[in-house]
Amino acid sequence: QVQLVESGGGLVQPGGSLTLSCAASGNIFRINGMAWYRQAPGKQQRELVATITSGGNSNYADSVLGRFTISRDNAKNTVYLQMNSLKPDDTAVYYCNADLLREGSRFQYKYWGQGTQVTVSS
């Protein structure tokens, strides 16, 4: 079994900061790319926020560039999203994603967490 669990969401005022964590556990052979997505209220699609490779190379959506930082701890199978200068438009359910290989499996799959709510409001 493979499980991704997000934590760290909550209510924050505009301009505030919040850090999300996502820990992967289970029968994992290797985690390749990891990413954060978000789904804003009233939207039907998830937006890609940031990605990070196993080597630590990262990419960001233009809307969060300079404000958010994605990082990972490979020893802990955990990815983080540091969110600074938060705006009301950042309000969304944030989802963790991991491209990984399970032990004994031939194929790489995308796994998703259940999501954590981030609300930015004054």
Side-chain angles (χ1 to χ4, degrees):
Q1 295 181 351
V2 174
Q3 185 177 18
L4 273 63
V5 179
E6 300 103 333
S7 62
L11 176 64
V12 64
Q13 293 184 337
S17 298
L18 208 60
T19 299
L20 307 181
S21 299
C22 174
S25 61
N27 194 24
I28 299 170
F29 176 74
R30 175 184 173 89
I31 301 178
N32 294 314
M34 302 188 80
W36 287 96
Y37 290 74
R38 67 186 182 186
Q39 187 167 8
K43 300 294 184 179
Q44 296 182 356
Q45 293 184 283
R46 295 179 182 180
E47 173 192 15
L48 178 62
V49 176
T51 63
I52 187 167
T53 68
S54 61
N57 295 320
S58 59
N59 286 283
Y60 299 90
D62 289 340
S63 58
V64 307
L65 186 64
R67 300 187 298 117
F68 290 11
T69 302
I70 188 171
S71 61
R72 63 191 287 171
D73 186 336
N74 291 335
K76 297 181 178 180
N77 289 335
T78 300
V79 63
Y80 306 92
L81 186 67
Q82 301 176 38
M83 303 183 294
N84 300 320
S85 301
L86 284 163
K87 306 174 181 179
D89 287 347
D90 295 320
T91 296
V93 177
Y94 284 71
Y95 296 90
C96 174
N97 171 263
D99 295 330
L100 61 83
L101 290 166
R102 294 186 292 112
E103 289 187 357
S105 179
R106 174 184 294 181
F107 301 106
Q108 176 179 269
Y109 293 94
K110 286 184 176 293
Y111 291 83
W112 294 89
Q114 291 295 318
T116 184
Q117 176 71 48
V118 173
T119 302
V120 184
S121 177
S122 59

